[in-house]
Amino acid sequence: MRLRPRSIRVRDTLIATLVSLLAFGLPAAGIDLLIREGAEEHHYRDIEYAARREAIDLRTPPPPRNPIPPDPNGVDLIQVVDSTGRVIYATRRAGQIPITSERPPQGQLFRNFVHCRTGRSCLFVHVTRVSQTEIRPTGTVYVYAAKEVPTMLAPGVLELMILTVVLALAGLSSWITWRVVGRTLGPIDAIRRQLAEITASDLSRRVPEPGSEDEIANLARTANATLDRLERSVNRQRQFTADASHELRTPVAGLRANLEDALMHPGDADLEGTLEAALRDTERLEAIITDLLLLARLGTSAGGTQEKIDLAGLATDQARGRRTEIHRNLVPGVTVVGVSMQLSRLLGNLLDNAEAHAESRIDIEVRREGDDAVVTVTDDGPGIAPKEREQVFRRFTRLDTARSRQAGGTGLGLAIARDIARAHGGTLTVEDSPKGARFMLRLPLGG
């Protein structure tokens, strides 16, 4: 059986109620005792004084007046009763009917107690035994002095009042807790409802972010950041599917056509040429698939082992063995933190692109610029128009200029290069150049 409430609001309110009852109840019990003991002590002191004064009057002549005058402290219920229960002296208000028949226990001279009369109020009563008096030298009389118990001190009344106050305070505390927790959890409930409405087909929606800087606002921001990453990941998967289905169709169709033609006309087919064409198409398929998978991996993180990399040394390795003349202006000691294999692929793709379009020369430069490491690769080819500079980074882009993708390439080199740069916290852009195209890579320095 599950006893713990599922609702945080209900659970916190119950806990606050219990804590309030304990926090208010224990001090209230102590206050009740202090009030009752203090008040009772005050009233008993008054009636004890009145009874003693009357006992002294009984022992000394002349005999006391009848009716007995009220005590100066306001005690107007005083009686002197003999051993048979007959009232000898009394104040006017006390009358001739004994206040009570209770007497001090054997061996005690006095007694304090509360006496409640049927249908009437209760009394604080003090009774004193007087053995030898002026009026009864050989007999025993009893002096009673009483005061009415205030309504607040009647049995159970003070406790009921204090209990009412405690319950009211606990109720107020519970109500405040209910409202505060409800207001606090309101943004969380809004986040929950929004998340429940987000589906895989629409990841563009975001949860509301409170304007505060508390934990709930941090939760909302974290949820939105997670949704951003999820949307990017899903978009990359969709892009991967679209790219794969689009770009793989042509080489697969060419490969199938060549193989079917060879099967239909085996005598007329050039077997060696057919196999060479099939091998080229297969290599192109392999290159496209490899690049697409790399792009998909880069969509989640940089991946691989992070290490300090000297960009000058990396550029030297990638420039070695090129068929186009490469002029180097490399500042040594410009280091970044990243994945060596991916940064090598980035520089290699930039040099491949420059080599594909250069007429006779490629320039590569590595330098520091503020807190960034900067790498530029410049060719002396036809260049890229400003309006087309962003298009070259799109997958499988074909420009309407002389820099259109050459046969044999996958059309993913620059897209991969930019994604690697972004995965390492950097940027890759096309900048102005006197001749040809200039690609500029910026990465944060790694110390």
Side-chain angles (χ1 to χ4, degrees):
M1 181 177 180
R2 188 183 181 92
L3 297 178
R4 184 180 181 183
R6 298 191 179 191
S7 170
I8 294 177
R9 191 178 189 185
V10 173
R11 186 162 65 244
D12 287 354
T13 302
L14 289 177
I15 292 174
T17 302
L18 293 176
V19 171
S20 299
L21 288 174
L22 288 175
F24 296 131
L26 293 177
I31 292 172
D32 174 64
L33 291 175
L34 290 175
I35 292 176
R36 186 169 291 280
E37 289 180 358
E40 289 180 356
E41 181 181 358
H42 170 73
H43 289 296
Y44 280 128
R45 184 171 60 247
D46 289 345
I47 58 179
E48 286 176 10
Y49 177 79
R52 289 196 192 99
R53 186 176 64 82
E54 188 60 30
I56 293 172
D57 289 346
L58 291 175
R59 290 191 177 97
T60 58
R65 290 180 295 170
N66 196 11
I68 301 172
D71 184 76
N73 292 322
V75 180
D76 56 0
L77 294 175
I78 302 174
Q79 289 180 338
V80 179
V81 182
D82 63 16
S83 58
T84 64
R86 184 173 64 89
V87 177
I88 304 173
Y89 298 100
T91 57
R92 192 179 303 278
R93 187 164 179 265
Q96 298 301 309
I97 299 175
I99 294 174
T100 178
S101 60
E102 295 188 37
R103 296 176 178 177
Q106 190 67 30
Q108 294 185 10
L109 295 178
F110 64 89
R111 179 186 175 192
N112 291 328
F113 58 93
V114 175
H115 173 65
C116 292
R117 299 171 291 181
T118 304
R120 303 175 67 182
S121 61
C122 296
L123 301 173
F124 289 118
V125 180
H126 174 84
V127 56
T128 297
R129 179 186 290 113
V130 183
S131 301
Q132 295 180 353
T133 67
E134 179 69 19
I135 59 172
R136 290 284 193 277
T138 60
T140 298
V141 296
Y142 300 92
V143 180
Y144 292 87
K147 288 181 71 173
E148 289 188 356
V149 175
T151 302
M152 187 180 71
L153 296 180
V157 174
L158 179 61
E159 288 72 16
L160 180 60
M161 293 174 60
I162 292 178
L163 178 62
T164 302
V165 172
V166 169
L167 292 178
L169 291 175
L172 178 62
S173 175
S174 300
W175 178 79
I176 293 174
T177 302
W178 178 266
R179 293 297 301 272
V180 170
V181 174
R183 186 181 295 273
T184 302
L185 295 179
I188 295 180
D189 191 54
I191 293 172
R192 180 195 61 79
R193 290 196 303 268
Q194 188 68 19
L195 286 174
E197 295 175 1
I198 295 174
T199 62
S201 59
D202 182 14
L203 292 173
S204 61
R205 303 175 68 174
R206 296 295 180 265
V207 301
E209 295 185 11
S212 59
E213 294 296 329
D214 55 15
E215 291 81 356
I216 297 177
N218 292 335
L219 172 64
R221 284 190 284 270
T222 301
N224 284 336
T226 302
L227 289 172
D228 288 339
R229 292 193 297 270
L230 181 61
E231 184 179 19
R232 288 196 298 269
S233 177
V234 171
N235 288 339
R236 285 184 176 276
Q237 290 181 3
R238 291 172 180 168
Q239 184 69 43
F240 175 85
T241 303
D243 292 343
S245 62
H246 178 269
E247 288 299 316
L248 296 179
R249 185 179 294 115
T250 300
V252 169
L255 179 61
R256 181 184 181 89
N258 288 334
L259 294 177
E260 287 179 346
D261 184 65
L263 286 174
M264 291 177 62
H265 308 284
D268 298 333
D270 180 3
L271 181 59
E272 183 177 354
T274 300
L275 292 177
E276 288 178 354
L279 181 59
R280 286 194 300 271
D281 288 336
T282 302
E283 290 174 347
R284 177 165 171 74
L285 284 172
E286 183 180 8
I288 292 174
I289 292 172
T290 300
D291 286 349
L292 286 174
L293 290 176
L294 176 58
L295 283 169
R297 287 196 299 271
L298 291 173
T300 55
S301 63
T305 302
Q306 300 280 322
E307 57 182 309
K308 284 189 176 182
I309 301 168
D310 185 348
L311 290 179
L314 201 64
T316 300
D317 292 340
Q318 289 299 316
R320 187 179 295 116
R322 298 279 176 174
R323 67 175 183 273
T324 305
E325 182 182 5
I326 298 180
H327 295 262
R328 307 171 193 172
N329 182 13
L330 310 178
V331 176
V334 180
T335 59
V336 297
V337 176
V339 181
S340 177
M341 182 181 67
Q342 292 183 8
L343 291 178
S344 296
R345 178 69 181 273
L346 189 161
L347 292 181
N349 286 0
L350 292 181
L351 290 173
D352 289 344
N353 177 76
E355 196 170 29
H357 301 97
E359 293 180 359
S360 60
R361 171 174 173 149
I362 298 173
D363 291 277
I364 183 169
E365 180 183 8
V366 174
R367 68 179 187 273
R368 287 188 181 86
E369 193 171 294
D371 294 331
D372 294 333
V374 177
V375 180
T376 59
V377 176
T378 308
D379 64 66
D380 60 352
I384 304 173
K387 65 179 181 179
E388 296 177 339
R389 289 178 179 177
E390 282 300 310
Q391 296 181 31
V392 298
F393 295 107
R394 296 176 184 174
R395 302 177 186 187
F396 308 113
T397 296
R398 293 176 173 84
L399 300 181
D400 295 331
T401 67
R403 292 186 69 92
S404 62
R405 177 163 53 91
Q406 294 181 347
T410 65
L412 295 172
L414 293 178
I416 290 174
R418 171 168 277 189
D419 276 10
I420 292 174
R422 287 176 174 172
H424 286 76
T427 60
L428 178 62
T429 55
V430 180
E431 303 295 326
D432 292 333
S433 176
K435 180 177 175 57
R438 173 177 294 168
F439 288 82
M440 178 177 290
L441 169 67
R442 286 181 176 273
L443 294 173
L445 289 169

